[in-house]
Amino acid sequence: MTTKSVLMVLTSHSELGNTGEKTGFWVEEFAAPYYAFIDAGIEVTLASPAGGQPPIDPKSELADFQTDATRRFDADSDTQAKLANSLVLADIKQDEFDGVFYPGGHGPLWDLTDNTDSIRLLESFVAAQKPIAAVCHASAAFLNLKDAEGEYLVKGKAVTGFSNTEEDAVQLTDIVPFLLEDELIKRGAHYQKKDDWHVFTLEDGLVITGQNPASSEQAAEKLIARI
């Protein structure tokens, strides 16, 4: 049996709006899925819009947000080096992969929502009947995907992502470029959520989504099951 292969796409965006603070990807949302894939014997390729080292949200490195997966990453110099040399997203083709996973953090709201390379890539996965997965804010990467009929891909689909109440809880409602929950609903998605910070994932057709950092590993497990 040939080895399965998953692409993980991370943000290259590091500025938290006009606050002067930094953002990027949330470590747990990368580490938990990454090790779920690796432990399942799946090859993982990392990419980002700019290539090289994707920015880590410094808040995600605070003690309160550490998990077994983040601690494993902190001790894993090989994976750190692999991350520092992520491939350029524009150079990636879906035919080399069985599925794709987008970790969140606030960064994707800025550089993966309207990114033409990302949209092209994700639409090619769907056209090839391959699953696409995202967790937390990275569901934003699905907002502007269109299906073969030219409709929004999320229209009529059960999807989740970082909720308005969670955004309010981290006091960034007025900082982010848009509220993900609202935008998914505007595009006709059947947006669903659980209580803040609880594990919640959905799978509808080829689209797999997780609500928040705690949902990262379960979203990855759904992708593993599909491929």
Side-chain angles (χ1 to χ4, degrees), residues 29 102-105 134-140 160-162 180 209-213:
E29 297 178 32
Y102 279 57
V135 67
C136 202
H137 289 94
S139 296
T160 189
F162 207 60
L180 179 56
T209 48
Q211 181 177 328
N212 47 37

Side-chain angles (χ1 to χ4, degrees), residues 61-189:
E61 297 183 302
L62 297 176
D64 285 353
F65 303 117
Q66 300 317 296
T67 65
D68 288 345
T70 66
R71 285 184 284 271
R72 183 174 171 184
F73 172 68
D74 288 341
D76 186 350
S77 57
D78 289 344
T79 295
Q80 291 171 28
K82 183 177 178 179
L83 182 66
N85 292 281
S86 73
L87 304 179
V88 176
L89 184 59
D91 297 337
I92 301 293
K93 294 180 173 57
Q94 64 80 15
D95 57 8
E96 300 173 12
F97 305 98
D98 298 294
V100 62
F101 190 99
Y102 279 57
H106 282 86
L109 297 180
W110 278 276
D111 74 340
L112 290 172
T113 304
D114 298 313
N115 186 296
T116 54
D117 295 318
S118 177
I119 291 170
R120 168 192 57 79
L121 183 66
L122 286 166
E123 289 179 346
S124 71
F125 269 92
V126 173
Q129 291 296 300
K130 295 177 182 178
I132 62 174
V135 67
C136 202
H137 289 94
S139 296
F142 298 169
L143 280 172
N144 294 317
L145 304 183
K146 299 287 183 70
D147 62 19
E149 286 72 46
E151 296 276 3
Y152 284 117
L153 182 68
V154 297
K155 183 179 179 181
K157 280 193 165 47
V159 296
T160 189
F162 207 60
S163 67
N164 289 356
T165 52
E166 287 168 323
E167 201 69 79
D168 190 54
V170 298
Q171 300 181 326
L172 290 174
T173 299
D174 296 328
I175 304 300
V176 293
F178 57 84
L179 293 173
L180 179 56
E181 176 180 335
D182 290 353
E183 292 303 312
L184 286 166
I185 292 168
K186 284 180 186 175
R187 283 159 180 74

Side-chain angles (χ1 to χ4, degrees), residues 14-77:
S14 64
E15 302 300 319
L16 187 61
N18 58 7
T19 64
E21 296 181 29
K22 295 296 182 181
T23 189
F25 73 89
W26 198 260
V27 176
E28 181 185 4
E29 297 178 32
F30 163 73
Y34 178 84
Y35 291 117
F37 297 139
I38 295 296
D39 292 346
I42 295 169
E43 290 183 357
V44 179
T45 297
L46 307 179
S48 59
Q53 176 69 56
I56 294 173
D57 187 320
K59 289 190 178 69
S60 73
E61 297 183 302
L62 297 176
D64 285 353
F65 303 117
Q66 300 317 296
T67 65
D68 288 345
T70 66
R71 285 184 284 271
R72 183 174 171 184
F73 172 68
D74 288 341
D76 186 350
S77 57

